[in-house]
Amino acid sequence: MAGAESPAGRPSELEPVVSLVDVLEEDEELENEACAVLGGSDSERCSYSQGSVKRQALYACSTCTPEGEEPAGICLACSYECHGSHKLFELYTKRNFRCDCGNSKFKNLECKLFPEKAKVNSGNKYNDNFFGLYCICKRPYPDPEDEVPDEMIQCIVCEDWFHGRHLGAFPPESGDFQEMVCQGCMKRCSFLWAYAAQLAVMKVSPEDDGLVLNVDGIGDQDVIKPDNGGHQDTTLKDDVPEHGKDAVKEVKAEQNNEPCASSSSESDPQTVFKNQSLNTESPSGCRFQELKAKQCVKKDTATYWPLNWRSKLCTCQGCMKMYGDLDVLFLTDEYDTVLAYENKGKIDQATERRDPLMDTLNSMNRVQQVELICEYNDLKTELKDYLKRFADEGTVVKREDIQQFFEEFQSKKRRRVDGMQYYCS
């Protein structure tokens, strides 16, 4: 397929040439995106009966629960059946959520698919996304007033969405990362900095203020920069958990934010500790205990993580308690990731997807099957020969050419049928 041609037989510069391959690839990309978001969710049955679903596509209804009301989320099936004509906010996917459709938050609506719901789902978590607001700037997406082109990335801890320019560290230009943890979550779950120096895909903005890391997991120490350029540490913002209290160290950063624990470390905070290996088997049985003595400097930024980084987190009893206290036990669940959800959707879709040609064949008798297969082979052979002429001549296949081919093919088919002789035995 193509646009107009110039007199010389070449594509006109006014209309871009679009090949059949381009169309198929674009169609496949759109189908994969839809499958990634929706494929792991049921489009016909309300998910309420499944309890808090590990991960599912969610929507918020601005018509039923506008800003100022209590936030609520609805499953994919309810978005179709109960809110089809309403204004919805697409929330992509969220973890451990139970459908709210028709419960006490919806004053004038009863769920058509599963009306027997409890008044509230106490295990659900909500944020500004349920009112169509995202990021620390609390703006809608797309934002009609924002003229800066920017992608939005979801934090895998709080599951809010952020503009790349509001994360303190721009996403790697190569896009070579799987997950992101925002600034606020890195601050709350500061144990992740013990892993970040060796696992994260780091790209730190040099203008960010440095922080001294409290390596025992929760809370940070601000680095105050007096007039003389030195550093003074304030008290911890949060209590230190029981796990690791026996090894608490007050670590101090030097004036240039260089690491303070290892003489073999590099001085560049963006590449610090890259030469050290991550011990998967530490003498104490705790990887975190082993790592926290090696790092002490971080930046007030988001972090970007590669595929399978979660499998490197320590799962000893003390660390699991720390994750529980921070409400991030899901980090140790390999099926919690969006990637796992997307892959499940693709597998489910591939299983359900049926070949229309095979369906047609199965509905025919033996004679009809043979005739259809012969017709298909004829069509394939003639189309291949027809397109080969264009390839040999280096010309573009136009819409009219395709139409002409099928008209001629149908004409030949009619002549063959009209010329057939039938005999009675």
Side-chain angles (χ1 to χ4, degrees):
M1 292 182 292
E5 283 193 349
S6 65
R10 295 182 178 178
S12 169
E13 294 182 359
L14 298 178
E15 297 186 36
V17 175
V18 180
S19 70
L20 183 60
V21 174
D22 294 332
V23 175
L24 292 175
E25 286 181 348
E26 182 179 358
D27 184 64
E28 183 179 6
E29 182 178 351
L30 291 173
E31 185 177 349
N32 287 338
E33 288 180 2
C35 178
V37 179
L38 308 179
S41 299
D42 194 327
S43 61
E44 298 180 353
R45 291 177 291 273
C46 176
S47 64
Y48 183 85
S49 61
Q50 302 175 42
S52 294
V53 180
K54 185 182 290 290
R55 184 170 292 281
Q56 64 175 316
L58 284 182
Y59 300 82
C61 183
S62 177
T63 305
C64 296
T65 55
E67 191 170 0
E69 299 287 337
E70 288 187 86
I74 59 176
C75 68
L76 176 63
C78 288
S79 75
Y80 293 151
E81 187 66 26
C82 307
H83 305 264
S85 61
H86 296 180
K87 181 182 177 181
L88 301 179
F89 297 123
E90 184 177 351
L91 305 178
Y92 194 51
T93 70
K94 291 190 183 292
R95 69 170 62 89
N96 300 332
F97 199 95
R98 196 171 195 183
C99 181
D100 285 322
C101 180
N103 68 11
S104 62
K105 296 185 176 185
F106 295 80
K107 295 181 174 61
N108 301 309
L109 181 137
E110 182 179 87
C111 181
K112 300 176 182 178
L113 301 177
F114 200 105
E116 300 85 16
K117 288 186 173 75
K119 290 186 177 181
V120 293
N121 295 312
S122 58
N124 287 354
K125 294 182 179 179
Y126 307 89
N127 58 19
D128 289 328
N129 295 176
F130 290 81
F131 297 115
L133 302 177
Y134 308 90
C135 191
I136 57 173
C137 59
K138 305 301 180 187
R139 296 293 303 170
Y141 183 83
D143 188 348
E145 298 179 8
D146 187 2
E147 299 180 355
V148 180
D150 197 355
E151 64 178 337
M152 298 202 75
I153 308 172
Q154 188 179 34
C155 171
I156 54 97
V157 177
C158 67
E159 297 193 298
D160 195 359
W161 290 82
F162 297 85
H163 295 100
R165 65 185 186 273
H166 292 160
L167 287 168
F170 286 104
E173 293 180 1
S174 63
D176 188 21
F177 68 96
Q178 188 64 42
E179 295 183 313
M180 181 274 290
V181 180
C182 72
Q183 290 167 283
C185 290
M186 285 301 298
K187 196 168 187 177
R188 185 174 70 87
C189 305
S190 61
F191 73 90
L192 286 173
W193 285 104
Y195 296 92
Q198 296 164 348
L199 292 178
V201 182
M202 303 290 285
K203 187 173 183 182
V204 181
S205 301
E207 64 272 14
D208 295 330
D209 292 331
L211 288 176
V212 175
L213 173 64
N214 166 30
V215 291
D216 286 279
I218 305 178
D220 300 314
Q221 293 173 310
D222 286 327
V223 176
I224 300 176
K225 298 180 180 179
D227 295 337
N228 60 5
H231 289 80
Q232 295 178 350
D233 298 336
T234 66
T235 57
L236 297 181
K237 293 181 178 178
D238 298 283
D239 293 334
V240 177
E242 290 297 324
H243 173 50
K245 270 191 175 179
D246 58 332
V248 172
K249 296 181 180 180
E250 184 176 333
V251 287
K252 295 183 179 180
E254 295 183 5
Q255 192 168 346
N256 59 359
N257 273 347
E258 292 183 358
C260 62
S262 174
S263 60
S264 62
S265 301
E266 301 175 23
S267 60
D268 183 359
Q270 296 187 34
T271 58
V272 70
F273 304 118
K274 292 293 182 183
N275 60 327
Q276 298 177 3
S277 61
L278 180 64
N279 293 329
T280 57
E281 297 292 340
S282 65
S284 64
C286 177
R287 299 175 205 166
F288 176 59
Q289 290 279 359
E290 194 77 12
L291 287 171
K292 70 179 185 178
K294 298 179 181 179
Q295 290 97 359
C296 61
V297 175
K298 81 175 186 68
K299 291 282 187 175
D300 184 18
T301 67
T303 51
Y304 303 89
W305 302 81
L307 184 67
N308 295 328
W309 70 274
R310 300 193 194 192
S311 64
K312 306 298 192 301
L313 296 177
C314 181
T315 55
C316 73
Q317 184 177 356
C319 283
M320 293 299 284
K321 181 181 183 304
M322 177 174 67
Y323 304 151
D325 292 342
L326 290 166
D327 197 21
V328 292
L329 275 171
F330 54 81
L331 288 177
T332 62
D333 182 359
E334 61 179 318
Y335 297 106
D336 171 77
T337 65
V338 174
L339 180 63
Y341 170 84
E342 292 177 349
N343 289 338
K344 178 183 180 297
K346 291 176 182 178
I347 293 172
D348 292 346
Q349 288 290 322
T351 302
E352 296 174 3
R353 194 175 296 159
R354 303 178 67 180
D355 188 335
L357 178 59
M358 293 305 298
D359 286 345
T360 303
L361 284 173
N362 290 334
S363 66
M364 295 178 171
N365 59 39
R366 177 66 177 170
V367 175
Q368 291 173 324
Q369 289 177 348
V370 172
E371 289 178 349
L372 179 61
I373 292 172
C374 289
E375 288 289 341
Y376 172 76
N377 287 332
D378 288 343
L379 173 62
K380 183 173 68 172
T381 301
E382 292 195 28
L383 181 60
K384 181 179 179 182
D385 292 340
Y386 182 76
L387 295 176
K388 187 175 184 300
R389 299 205 318 259
F390 291 87
D392 293 341
E393 296 171 5
T395 56
V396 175
V397 182
K398 296 178 292 186
R399 183 189 299 272
E400 309 88 81
D401 297 323
I402 297 298
Q403 290 175 341
Q404 181 183 348
F405 167 80
F406 281 104
E407 288 173 1
E408 292 178 354
F409 183 79
Q410 289 286 10
S411 177
K412 290 179 183 178
K413 179 181 176 181
R414 283 194 295 269
R415 287 198 299 271
R416 285 199 303 270
V417 172
D418 293 341
M420 291 179 66
Q421 298 181 8
Y422 296 90
Y423 300 91
C424 294
S425 57

